Amino acid sequence: MDEFGLIARYFAPLAEAPGALGLKDDAAFIPARPGFDLVVTTDQIAEGTDFFPGDPAEDVGRKALRVNLSDLAAKGATPFGYLMTLTLPRADQDWLESFVKGLAEDQKIYGLSLLGGDTGKGPLTIAITAFGHVREGRMVRRGTAKAGEAVYVTGMIGDSGGGLAVSENAGAGLSEIDRAYLIDAYRLPKPPVEFGIRLSSFAVAAVDISDGLIADLGHIAETSGLAIEVAAELIPRSPALRGLWGEGPDAVIRAATAGDDYQIAFTADRARENEIQAAAQQAHVIVTRIGIVTAGKGVRLLYRGEELAVPEAGYQHF
Amino acid sequence: MDEFGLIARYFAPLAEAPGALGLKDDAAFIPARPGFDLVVTTDQIAEGTDFFPGDPAEDVGRKALRVNLSDLAAKGATPFGYLMTLTLPRADQDWLESFVKGLAEDQKIYGLSLLGGDTGKGPLTIAITAFGHVREGRMVRRGTAKAGEAVYVTGMIGDSGGGLAVSENAGAGLSEIDRAYLIDAYRLPKPPVEFGIRLSSFAVAAVDISDGLIADLGHIAETSGLAIEVAAELIPRSPALRGLWGEGPDAVIRAATAGDDYQIAFTADRARENEIQAAAQQAHVIVTRIGIVTAGKGVRLLYRGEELAVPEAGYQHF
C-alpha cells in the first residue's frame, strides 16, 4: 500500500474539521478565531523509549496524542486539532486499524480533529503537533509565578513511573488490580484537559509534568527567577504506588522524579483556593496544594521540615 | 549535553517571535490575526532518503525548512513560523552549529521564526511544521480547478532529479558548472515563496511539486474531478538538465516524474495571463504555461500532439 492508500483508508476518516480538507490537500487551514490565540505544542514518542514493543496499538496512538493534550491543558487551552507524523517499519493492517481506532475514540473524548500529517518508513515513532485556543494573551506561562503563591498539582504523582517498573517486572507482591492500574497509568496518560480549559482563570504559572514533578517545578522556578518549596508528605500518591514503593522520603523522591505523569503543576494565589477546588470538582480532578513559591533559586523538597537531597532529575537524551 | 542545553545553545537564538517565549515554555502561541486563516503543513526529511550522509548540515536544515515553505507558497500563504522535531544520532557540535546557521539565514530570507520543537535520539530526521497566514477563506486548494483553465508551472522542472542522478555519478560529460547547478538544486530547493504570497489573487487551484510534475498535476485533476492535458515540449527544463538527459519524450518524462522540484503548479483563467506574468516578474520567478484543464480523468502528456505513455509516478514508501 502506498502513502496515498494509507491516508485514504486509515487517516482520512479522522480528518473531521473542514480545514483538514479530507487530507486531500498540501496543507490544512485553521479558521481565524478573533479574540483567541492559537497554542501550539509538539511531542514525539518512540517505541522502546516511550512505549514497549508489543504495547496495544490502540494505546500507543492515544498516548502520542495525550502527551500533547497535556501540554495544551497546562497552558489553559481548549484542544482544536492535531497533525501527526508517523514513521512505520511496515504497513501492518491490524496494527494500523487498532491505532486509528484509539485515536478516533480520543478525538471524541477531547473534541478534536486530525488536520494533516506525513508518513514515512523507519523505526516506529509518532510525532504529534497539537493546537488549542486560548483567549487572546491568556496562555498560562511558566515564567510568571510570584513569591507567596501556593503550588498545586492535579491527579496522582508517580503512577506512570510505577507502571514502567511493574512492566519491567517489579511489584511481584502487588494485587492484580494494582498492577493493572499502574501499567494503565504508564500506557495511557489521563491529562486533565477539562480542568485545563478552566486553568487560565486562576493559575498564574503552570507546567505539565513530563520530566518529573521536581524537574518541572524547577522549570517554573527557573523561568520565574524564584524558588519553590514542596512538602514531600503532601505529594499525592495512589494506594497502588504506595503498595509498590512504600512510604518514607525515598519513595516520595522516586515518585517526584519518575516523570511521564502528564498532570498539571501550577501556582495561584491561595485566596483563590475555593474557586480552584470548585473547578477541580466540575472537571472530576483531584487538586492538591503541595508547596509555596518563595524568593531564591531551585526546588527544595522538605520531609517533616527537613530538606531532602534530590538527585539530578530529567531524562538525558545524549 | 542534555536536551535543555541543546535548546538553550542552538535553538533558542532562532526563536525570534514573542509567542515562542524563548523556547522556555511547554508551548508557543500564535497571536490572533483577525481576517486571516492559519495555513499549517508538515513534512519530514531523513538521511539516506532525502539527503545524503555527509551533505552539508547547513543545507540539510534549509532543505527541511524549504520543503515546507514550498507547501505554504502553493497555498498562497505568507510564512510566519515553524516547529522542528529533530532526531539526532549524537550531539555533534560542529554539525549543529552549521545546521542552525543555515536555518538562521533562511529565517532572514523568508521572514519567519522558530516557535518550538522537540529533540530525540535516533537516525537523523528533521520534521518541520510550518505556519503561514492567508486571507480568511482564501487558501488556494487542489480540488477547485475548472475546465478550460490554463495550467502553469513556476521555475524549472527536473533539476533536483538531475542533481540526484549527478550525485550518484551520472553526467560525467557535463561541465563543472552544470554539475554544481544540478547538485545545488537537489540539496537546496528554491520554493517561490514571494510568488506564492501573490498566488491567491489569480490561482484557482494549486499544488507544490514534490512527487513529480505529472503526479502532482494528477492530484489537482483527481480532487477537481477533471483531466489535465500537458504539452510536453512546453515543460521548462534548464540547459544543464538538457545537457544531462538530452531532448525527446523520454527526457521530458524523466524530468516530469523526478519530483522534489518544490515549484508550484497552478490553474488560472487564461485571461489573467498578463497579471500572472507581472506577479512572476515582481517575484523574480519564471512562470510557464504548459497545459489546460479539460473534462475527463487523469493527466495526459502530449508530445507534438501524440500522447506519451507515462509510467506510474510518485514515491512508494511501503
Side-chain angles (χ1 to χ4, degrees):
Chain A
M1 189 175 297
D2 70 2
E3 189 176 1
F4 300 110
L6 276 181
I7 291 169
R9 175 154 178 190
Y10 297 107
F11 302 120
L14 296 174
E16 300 173 288
L21 299 166
L23 308 185
K24 286 186 172 172
D25 216 302
D26 295 300
F29 67 91
I30 298 177
R33 190 171 173 196
F36 286 83
D37 292 337
L38 195 72
V39 177
V40 178
T41 185
T42 186
D43 253 319
Q44 62 181 336
I45 67 171
E47 188 175 69
T49 306
D50 304 286
F51 59 93
F52 288 94
D55 273 0
E58 198 175 324
D59 289 352
V60 169
R62 298 174 91 170
K63 182 166 188 174
L65 191 54
R66 290 179 181 200
V67 303
N68 283 282
L69 294 178
S70 172
D71 281 317
L72 290 184
K75 304 292 100 182
T78 304
F80 170 79
Y82 66 103
L83 303 169
M84 178 168 62
T85 297
L86 186 62
T87 309
L88 291 170
R90 69 200 150 275
D92 173 334
Q93 308 210 355
D94 288 343
W95 191 92
L96 278 163
E97 256 160 44
S98 165
F99 177 77
V100 163
K101 183 166 164 265
L103 289 173
E105 281 173 34
D106 267 12
Q107 288 194 185
K108 252 185 251 159
I109 294 172
Y110 298 111
L112 76 175
S113 164
L114 179 63
L115 295 174
D118 195 17
T119 309
K121 196 177 168 70
L124 183 56
T125 310
I126 305 110
I128 282 186
T129 298
F131 304 97
H133 287 109
V134 69
R135 288 205 174 274
E136 201 168 343
R138 294 297 296 278
M139 188 179 98
V140 184
R141 307 193 186 177
R142 283 183 180 177
T144 42
K146 284 175 203 67
E149 286 172 351
V151 176
Y152 297 87
V153 67
T154 64
M156 295 290 137
I157 298 302
D159 282 348
S160 174
L164 176 58
V166 170
S167 298
E168 288 168 338
N169 298 318
L174 287 183
S175 71
E176 269 313 303
I177 290 175
D178 283 353
R179 292 169 56 85
Y181 165 87
L182 292 172
I183 289 174
D184 185 60
Y186 172 73
R187 281 196 189 154
L188 206 56
K190 284 150 200 78
V193 171
E194 191 61 36
F195 183 75
I197 293 170
R198 300 157 202 261
L199 195 69
S200 72
S201 62
F202 45 76
V204 179
V207 72
D208 93 306
I209 306 169
S210 52
D211 296 330
L213 176 64
I214 303 297
D216 288 308
L217 287 178
H219 297 147
I220 291 184
E222 193 189 337
T223 51
S224 299
L226 292 165
I228 287 177
E229 225 173 77
V230 175
E233 313 88 290
L234 299 182
I235 295 173
R237 292 182 306 133
S238 69
L241 192 70
R242 289 170 191 268
L244 178 67
W245 285 343
E247 302 293 337
D250 287 352
V252 175
I253 287 176
R254 215 160 160 182
T257 54
D260 275 342
D261 297 298
Y262 304 109
Q263 296 294 335
I264 304 173
F266 64 98
T267 75
D269 190 331
R270 236 192 111 171
R272 310 291 290 274
E273 180 129 358
N274 287 346
E275 188 186 337
I276 293 167
Q277 292 301 345
Q281 218 163 8
Q282 281 168 350
H284 306 288
V285 161
I286 293 168
V287 170
T288 310
R289 180 162 44 78
I290 58 168
I292 191 166
V293 183
T294 67
K297 215 180 137 179
V299 177
R300 296 176 65 209
L301 191 59
L302 304 176
Y303 191 82
R304 295 177 183 164
E306 297 213 357
E307 185 164 352
L308 299 179
V310 178
E312 182 75 25
Y315 183 73
Q316 302 274 332
H317 283 294
F318 298 103
Chain B
M1 189 176 296
D2 69 3
E3 189 177 0
F4 301 109
L6 276 182
I7 291 169
R9 176 152 176 191
Y10 297 107
F11 302 119
L14 297 174
E16 299 173 289
L21 299 165
L23 306 186
K24 286 187 172 171
D25 216 301
D26 296 299
F29 67 91
I30 298 177
R33 189 172 175 194
F36 286 84
D37 293 337
L38 195 71
V39 177
V40 178
T41 185
T42 186
D43 254 318
Q44 60 182 336
I45 67 171
E47 187 175 70
T49 306
D50 304 286
F51 58 92
F52 287 95
D55 272 0
E58 197 175 325
D59 289 351
V60 169
R62 300 174 91 170
K63 182 167 189 175
L65 191 54
R66 291 179 180 198
V67 303
N68 283 281
L69 294 179
S70 171
D71 281 317
L72 291 184
K75 303 291 101 181
T78 304
F80 171 78
Y82 66 103
L83 302 169
M84 179 169 60
T85 297
L86 186 62
T87 309
L88 291 170
R90 68 199 152 276
D92 173 334
Q93 308 211 354
D94 288 342
W95 191 92
L96 278 163
E97 255 160 46
S98 163
F99 178 77
V100 161
K101 183 166 164 265
L103 290 173
E105 281 173 35
D106 268 10
Q107 289 194 182
K108 251 185 251 159
I109 294 172
Y110 297 111
L112 79 174
S113 164
L114 180 63
L115 295 174
D118 195 17
T119 310
K121 196 176 167 72
L124 182 57
T125 311
I126 305 110
I128 282 187
T129 298
F131 304 97
H133 286 108
V134 71
R135 287 204 175 275
E136 201 167 344
R138 295 296 297 277
M139 188 178 98
V140 184
R141 307 193 185 177
R142 282 183 180 177
T144 41
K146 285 174 203 67
E149 286 171 353
V151 176
Y152 298 87
V153 67
T154 64
M156 295 289 138
I157 297 302
D159 282 347
S160 174
L164 176 58
V166 169
S167 298
E168 288 167 338
N169 298 319
L174 287 184
S175 71
E176 267 315 301
I177 289 176
D178 283 352
R179 292 170 57 87
Y181 165 86
L182 292 172
I183 290 174
D184 185 59
Y186 172 73
R187 282 195 186 154
L188 206 56
K190 286 150 198 78
V193 171
E194 191 61 36
F195 182 74
I197 293 171
R198 301 156 202 261
L199 194 68
S200 72
S201 62
F202 46 74
V204 178
V207 73
D208 93 305
I209 306 169
S210 52
D211 296 329
L213 176 64
I214 302 297
D216 287 308
L217 287 178
H219 297 147
I220 291 185
E222 193 190 337
T223 52
S224 299
L226 291 165
I228 287 177
E229 226 173 75
V230 174
E233 312 89 287
L234 299 182
I235 295 174
R237 293 182 305 133
S238 69
L241 192 70
R242 289 170 191 266
L244 178 67
W245 284 343
E247 302 294 336
D250 286 352
V252 175
I253 288 177
R254 214 161 164 183
T257 54
D260 276 343
D261 296 298
Y262 304 108
Q263 295 295 335
I264 304 175
F266 64 97
T267 74
D269 189 331
R270 236 192 110 169
R272 311 290 290 273
E273 181 131 355
N274 286 347
E275 190 187 336
I276 292 167
Q277 292 300 345
Q281 218 163 7
Q282 279 166 353
H284 305 288
V285 160
I286 293 167
V287 170
T288 311
R289 181 162 44 77
I290 58 167
I292 190 164
V293 183
T294 67
K297 217 181 136 179
V299 177
R300 296 175 66 207
L301 191 60
L302 304 177
Y303 191 82
R304 295 177 184 164
E306 298 213 358
E307 185 164 353
L308 300 179
V310 178
E312 182 75 26
Y315 183 72
Q316 302 273 332
H317 282 296
F318 298 103

